[in-house]
């Protein structure tokens, strides 16, 4: 059966700063989506990660479907108007950047990741959501999980993976349309590496099996500052990854998250911090972070979802979280200096630009003696 899995995620307000959405707000989103079950959507899951709410739905309408996107938009808009604003939540409607829905929710603020798949007899996949970071945060784990046999032993052991994968990489700085390149592993591994190292600009958009041509992964690539032209919150990306069979095993996809690699998006979207693998529904704390990623694994059959398995709940990840906390404190020791704060290319959407402009006018240039 052909099924589409769509995730639409937004920050529409949270309690006590950028911490977590209120229960009433999540309920309002859930009620809105639940009313569509058996009609527009086959099944759904509502998750929260930090201050973001994600709507995951299964349906048969394909990707970029107007009705599905409108449902997501309307769910967030209704919950904003009926709960976030009356409750006085912080940043009510934060990610709803335009006034009216116009066909496709991409480019309007919410993050979207979706895949149309031919369901395998058993169809396991993982839904990842990250808060206080941007889509480039997934570059390293995807590179390691799909292209490095040190992490993905299946590249050596599973004949269905011997041909490797196709990476579709987007240049998110290009705003006139979608600019992307397709590169194959293993032949073009070094080209992929050369792009993915610049994870503010080049972002994995999707990954495809070279054995079967089937899609393995879909990542939301929205950069909010490219839409709004100013800082309006971090992009907080979502991702779908199919696992097992011709794709990496679940554990191979998860293994790279043990690194807690440093990503952009800590405090005011302006600092560097470790991506911390966290339990579902984890909220935000230290220095408006640290950046968190959650993972909900499902099996889907005829569009019906199992309950989620929380992939970072195993006690192993407690030790990893302790490491992440140490890394967070380590980089925070140097405050705003050097590598701890993002470069000007990221900060140019924030207030520091005005400050620097004013200061620039106060600089004095001393005449130097001219040589005769
Ligand atoms: P099972 O034998 O438990 O299905 O595991 C297979 C596997 O390869 C997991 O990585
Ligand atoms: P969010 O994008 O998750 O709302 O975070 C904004 C922020 O800058 C917190 O410091
Ligand atoms: Mg927020
Ligand atoms: Mg957020």
């Amino acid at each position: 059966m052909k099924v589409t899995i769509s995730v639409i995620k937004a920050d529409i307000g949270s309690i006590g700063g950028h911490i977590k959405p209120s229960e009433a707000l999540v309920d309002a989103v859930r009620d809105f989506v639940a009313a569509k079950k058996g009609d527009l959507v086959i099944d759904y899951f509502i998750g929260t990660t930090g201050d973001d709410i994600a709507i995951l739905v299964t349906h048969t309408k394909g990707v970029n479907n107007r009705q599905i996107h409108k449902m997501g938009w309307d769910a967030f808009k209704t919950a904003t108007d009926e709960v976030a604003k009356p409750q006085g939540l912080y940043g009510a409607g934060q990610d709803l950047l335009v006034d009216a829905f116009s066909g496709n929710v991409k480019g309007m603020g919410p993050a979207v990741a979706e895949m149309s798949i031919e369901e395998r007899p058993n169809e396991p996949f993982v839904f990842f959501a990250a808060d206080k970071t941007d889509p480039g945060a997934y570059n390293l784990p995807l590179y390691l999980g799909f292209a490095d046999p040190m992490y993905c032993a299946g590249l050596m052991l599973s004949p269905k993976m011997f041909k490797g994968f196709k990476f579709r990489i987007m240049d998110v700085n290009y705003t006139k349309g979608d600019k992307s390149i397709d590169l194959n592993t293993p032949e073009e591994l070094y080209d992929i590496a050369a792009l993915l190292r610049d994870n503010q600009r080049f972002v994995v958009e999707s990954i495809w099996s070279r054995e079967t041509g089937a899609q393995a992964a879909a990542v939301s690539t929205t950069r909010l500052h490219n839409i709004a032209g100013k800082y309006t919150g971090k992009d907080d990306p979502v991702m779908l990854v199919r696992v097992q069979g011709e794709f990496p095993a679940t554990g191979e996809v998860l293994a790279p998250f043990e690194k807690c690699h440093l990503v952009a998006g800590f405090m005011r979207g302006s600092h560097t911090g470790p991506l911390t693998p966290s339990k579902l529904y984890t909220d935000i704390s230290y220095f408006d972070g640290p950046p968190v990623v959650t993972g909900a694994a499902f099996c889907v059959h005829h569009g019906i979802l199992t309950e989620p398995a929380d992939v970072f709940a195993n006690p192993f990840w407690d030790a990893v979280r302790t490491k992440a906390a140490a890394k967070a404190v380590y980089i925070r020791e140097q405050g705003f200096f050097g590598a701890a704060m993002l470069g000007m290319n990221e900060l140019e959407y924030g207030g520091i630009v005005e400050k620097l402009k004013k200061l620039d006018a106060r600089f004095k240039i001393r005449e130097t003696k001219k040589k005769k």
Side-chain angles (χ1 to χ4, degrees):
M1 181 183 169
K2 193 138 181 136
V3 165
T4 306
I5 308 169
S6 301
V7 181
I8 305 176
K9 182 242 63 171
D11 175 350
I12 53 169
S14 47
I15 304 174
H18 296 277
I19 304 294
K20 63 183 272 189
S22 68
E23 275 173 33
L25 187 64
V26 181
D27 287 346
V29 171
R30 185 181 295 108
D31 290 348
F32 191 98
V33 177
K36 312 289 175 191
K37 185 168 166 171
D39 174 21
L40 186 59
V41 307
I42 304 172
D43 209 350
Y44 69 90
F45 167 76
I46 307 296
T48 73
T49 302
D51 60 3
D52 302 321
I53 303 176
I55 301 170
L56 184 152
V57 289
T58 57
H59 56 93
T60 54
K61 307 215 169 279
V63 300
N64 288 317
N65 179 268
R66 189 191 157 89
Q67 284 172 281
I68 296 293
H69 283 221
K70 186 168 185 330
M71 180 215 57
W73 178 267
D74 289 345
F76 288 132
K77 186 88 183 88
T78 305
T80 297
D81 293 340
E82 292 181 1
V83 180
K85 284 180 181 169
Q87 280 195 323
L89 294 188
Y90 187 72
Q94 177 183 286
D95 286 352
L96 307 180
L97 299 182
V98 297
D99 293 329
F101 179 78
S102 62
N104 188 314
V105 84
K106 265 187 205 166
M108 299 173 71
V112 183
E114 32 184 13
M115 275 201 264
S116 249
I117 62 168
E118 193 59 56
E119 251 185 19
R120 297 170 289 174
N122 56 77
E123 185 58 66
F125 72 93
V126 186
F127 156 51
F128 292 94
D131 189 33
K132 309 302 184 247
T133 188
D134 58 26
Y138 294 130
N139 280 7
L140 176 62
L142 288 174
Y143 174 85
L144 297 176
F146 279 84
D148 186 343
M150 292 284 283
Y151 292 81
C152 183
L155 297 169
M156 296 181 293
L157 303 176
S158 173
K160 286 187 196 160
M161 293 171 68
F162 288 173
K163 285 189 187 154
F165 292 92
K166 177 178 83 183
F167 280 61
R168 182 161 294 162
I169 297 169
M170 183 175 276
D171 177 352
V172 292
N173 279 5
Y174 187 82
T175 51
K176 286 181 214 149
D178 288 346
K179 183 179 172 188
S180 66
I181 184 171
D182 287 353
L183 294 169
N184 285 325
T185 65
E187 308 91 288
E188 297 176 300
L189 198 59
Y190 299 164
D191 296 328
I192 291 173
L195 293 177
L196 295 190
R197 59 151 293 281
D198 184 0
N199 57 6
Q200 303 294 291
R201 176 169 178 192
F202 297 108
V203 172
V204 178
E205 181 195 44
S206 57
I207 301 177
W208 307 72
S209 161
R210 292 180 74 191
E211 173 71 26
T212 62
Q215 185 167 1
V219 183
S220 66
T221 50
T222 321
R223 298 295 320 267
L224 291 179
H225 68 212
N226 290 343
I227 302 170
K230 62 179 181 350
Y231 182 70
T232 57
K234 216 53 198 170
D235 313 306
D236 302 341
V238 287
M239 166 164 87
L240 293 166
V241 183
R242 295 168 79 190
V243 288
Q244 307 296 145
E246 72 258 53
F247 308 122
T250 317
E252 289 167 339
V253 171
L254 300 182
F257 287 97
E258 171 276 325
K259 288 197 173 304
C260 310
H261 63 296
L262 297 170
V263 298
F266 210 171
M267 183 50 81
R268 298 178 187 273
S270 304
H271 295 78
T272 304
L275 187 66
T276 308
S278 303
K279 292 179 186 170
L280 296 175
Y281 312 106
T282 290
D283 51 15
I284 292 300
S285 178
Y286 172 64
F287 202 58
D288 277 8
V292 293
V293 59
T294 61
F298 295 92
C299 279
V300 57
H301 191 61
H302 295 165
I304 305 285
L305 297 163
T306 59
E307 75 271 28
D310 186 344
V311 299
F312 297 126
N314 181 287
F316 169 83
W317 296 98
D318 293 337
V320 173
R321 284 187 274 274
T322 302
K323 175 174 93 171
K327 285 183 80 162
V329 170
Y330 186 95
I331 190 141
R332 288 306 316 132
E333 279 174 2
Q334 65 179 64
F336 56 85
F337 286 89
M341 196 183 250
L342 304 186
M344 276 310 293
N345 57 327
E346 288 298 310
L347 301 183
E348 67 194 356
Y349 301 92
I352 196 167
V353 180
E354 290 155 42
K355 181 178 285 298
L356 292 179
K357 221 183 265 172
K358 276 188 196 150
L359 290 174
D360 191 58
R362 289 176 52 193
F363 271 86
K364 291 195 171 74
I365 299 164
R366 266 193 304 271
E367 291 295 329
T368 47
K369 278 182 189 164
K370 283 179 193 140
K371 275 187 192 162
K372 277 189 183 159

